[in-house]
Amino acid sequence: MPITKAVLSKEDIESLKIKKKSKSKTRILGSIFSLLVLLIVYLCVGCDSSNSTFYFFRIFIIVINVFIFMGSLKDVNFYNDLKEKQKYVGTVKVKKKEYFYDDESNYESYVVNFDEWRIGNKSFKEDFWNIINEGDEFYVEQAVNSGFILKLEKDKKDFKIGLIW
């Protein structure tokens, strides 16, 4: 069955709302924390805003908050998903499995490349990656705008829990 569009179920809508809310809460807490750090540094330098330490932290906090703001623009896709209530549904095949190892950071990455561009490449935990073979077919449900995976199953086994976000 090729990938087609379908209407989001009530459970899908709740999943999207929870994901959007948790991302928003994380951003707000990050912004508040960074501003508290700036306030603490300001008080530590004796309320001297011309101090070079305060100047450095002020620039640093501004940059952090700009990135937080830019990240919030990504939430527009979640809003669009909730407004349009559309998802992609169908089966996809595993095109290729890849393993990457970085010597410097001692980081391992287990990636599965799917044959559908909308799904793309997904990183899995090692134990899930080991039971996936090239050519395996997965049933997938994915939000249209945000790309949030709602369901990823093979032989009635849930592989969504094995994804690394």
Side-chain angles (χ1 to χ4, degrees):
M1 166 168 111
I3 298 288
T4 59
K5 282 189 178 180
V7 177
L8 289 173
S9 68
K10 289 181 181 180
E11 295 84 20
D12 297 337
I13 291 170
E14 285 305 311
S15 294
L16 283 168
K17 284 180 179 179
I18 290 169
K19 181 69 172 177
K20 181 183 70 69
K21 188 176 183 179
S22 70
K23 289 179 122 222
S24 296
K25 187 184 288 185
T26 302
R27 276 194 206 89
I28 290 168
L29 290 174
S31 184
I32 289 170
F33 178 76
S34 66
L35 293 173
L36 283 174
V37 168
L38 184 63
L39 177 65
I40 290 169
V41 169
Y42 180 70
L43 294 174
C44 287
V45 296
C47 300
D48 180 13
S49 62
S50 64
N51 185 300
S52 63
T53 303
F54 179 74
Y55 181 76
F56 168 75
F57 272 98
R58 183 174 58 195
I59 297 298
F60 183 69
I61 298 303
I62 289 171
V63 168
I64 286 174
N65 280 288
V66 165
F67 279 111
I68 288 172
F69 175 73
M70 288 174 32
S72 69
L73 295 178
K74 190 176 181 184
D75 282 351
V76 169
N77 291 327
F78 284 103
Y79 287 112
N80 288 337
D81 282 332
L82 292 170
K83 184 174 73 175
E84 295 173 11
K85 295 180 173 58
Q86 293 284 306
K87 65 181 174 182
Y88 291 119
V89 177
T91 57
V92 293
K93 277 190 176 183
V94 175
K95 188 167 42 172
K96 185 168 52 165
K97 286 175 49 172
E98 296 179 304
Y99 168 77
F100 299 102
Y101 178 73
D102 185 4
D103 288 330
E104 291 179 14
S105 64
N106 200 25
Y107 178 74
E108 295 178 316
S109 178
Y110 302 92
V111 179
V112 173
N113 301 325
F114 291 99
D115 65 349
E116 175 65 39
W117 66 269
R118 292 177 188 101
I119 307 303
N121 307 334
K122 298 294 178 196
S123 294
F124 284 88
K125 296 174 186 171
E126 181 181 7
D127 51 335
F128 283 86
W129 185 82
N130 286 331
I131 58 175
I132 296 173
N133 299 307
E134 290 181 10
D136 285 353
E137 287 191 353
F138 283 83
Y139 173 76
V140 67
E141 293 182 8
Q142 181 181 25
V144 170
N145 296 297
S146 65
F148 181 67
I149 300 287
L150 300 163
K151 231 181 227 183
L152 186 64
E153 297 176 344
K154 178 182 105 170
D155 301 329
K156 303 292 184 205
K157 182 175 181 180
D158 183 14
F159 276 77
K160 183 181 171 190
I161 58 175
L163 286 172
I164 298 175
W165 303 99

